[in-house]
Amino acid sequence: SGNPFSYVYGTGPVRDQGTSETNDLLFIPTTSQLNAMTFVTGTGYALSAADQKAAFEAYINQDEYLSKHRGQYAERNGGRLPFQNIVDLKLVQDFNVKLYNHKYQFQLTYDIFNFTNMLNRTWGRTYFLSNDQFALVKYAGATGSLTPSYSFNPITNNTPWGVSTSVAPSYSARWVSQLGIRFKF
């Protein structure tokens, strides 16, 4: 399976650890608990409170891990990135040359890193999630009655991770090839 990651709150201390503590593990609310939650609206939040609740409910239902752990705190490293499979290919051909009673050997190599991505652009992808944690819901503070409030912005494509943009052969989500020649004497 893919790399593990944790679902966390985005900002602010949810527990009493002080103002510098962030990224507490997320409590995954049941449907009734979610309906009782207060969501903030206004500047910086694209959706109304009701729309945020509906979007959050839809996100929980479509996520395999979150939907199975409703009413619980998310476990550290409970979520998983998609499975990654990288196949590298190396072709080697030796050539022998006899010159002035000496035998010389040339070796021609062709390496393809992430060969499966060369065959199909959606294969061989590598995925990345910063700090191995995803801030699903933002804690927005407490209102006058000390009721906590939250904000939720829907996630693009319902995935918190992105495709790696590294060009290093061992981390690249794209195929890379190189031609090599070696002379043995």
Side-chain angles (χ1 to χ4, degrees):
S1 61
N3 291 341
F5 70 94
S6 301
Y7 285 103
V8 297
Y9 288 101
T11 57
V14 176
R15 296 176 290 140
D16 58 355
Q17 298 293 320
T19 57
S20 63
E21 295 290 323
T22 58
N23 297 325
D24 292 322
L25 290 173
L26 179 73
F27 179 78
I28 308 159
T30 62
T31 302
S32 61
Q33 291 168 331
L34 179 62
N35 288 332
M37 291 172 67
T38 303
F39 284 81
V40 260
T41 57
T43 308
Y45 304 105
L47 301 176
S48 69
D51 290 341
Q52 288 181 52
K53 284 181 184 183
F56 189 28
E57 176 73 20
Y59 185 82
I60 291 172
N61 288 332
Q62 66 82 38
D63 185 275
E64 183 179 345
Y65 175 78
L66 295 175
S67 63
K68 289 181 180 178
H69 292 88
R70 294 193 88 155
Q72 302 172 12
Y73 280 95
E75 298 169 331
R76 181 171 310 282
N77 297 325
R80 291 269 178 192
L81 296 179
F83 181 77
Q84 301 178 146
N85 55 352
I86 305 295
V87 176
D88 297 333
L89 178 70
K90 180 174 189 142
L91 303 172
V92 179
Q93 179 65 51
D94 291 329
F95 298 98
N96 294 315
V97 176
K98 191 169 184 179
L99 200 68
Y100 302 111
N101 293 329
H102 285 77
K103 185 177 177 183
Y104 299 98
Q105 186 178 34
F106 291 92
Q107 188 176 67
L108 188 63
T109 62
Y110 184 62
D111 295 291
I112 304 172
F113 302 101
N114 202 348
F115 176 69
T116 51
N117 186 251
M118 186 179 93
L119 299 176
N120 184 326
R121 62 184 275 162
T122 61
W123 296 350
R125 289 190 171 173
T126 55
Y127 300 95
F128 177 77
L129 182 62
S130 179
N131 298 325
D132 294 328
Q133 57 190 13
F134 180 65
L136 184 60
V137 174
K138 292 182 181 172
Y139 174 72
T143 60
S145 64
L146 299 179
T147 303
S149 58
Y150 306 92
S151 67
F152 177 76
N153 284 327
I155 297 131
T156 307
N157 298 328
N158 284 336
T159 58
W161 53 82
V163 176
S164 175
T165 58
S166 174
V167 292
S170 57
Y171 299 108
S172 180
R174 297 181 217 135
W175 68 276
V176 178
S177 69
Q178 69 182 14
L179 184 62
I181 188 165
R182 183 169 29 177
F183 176 66
K184 296 180 182 180
F185 53 92

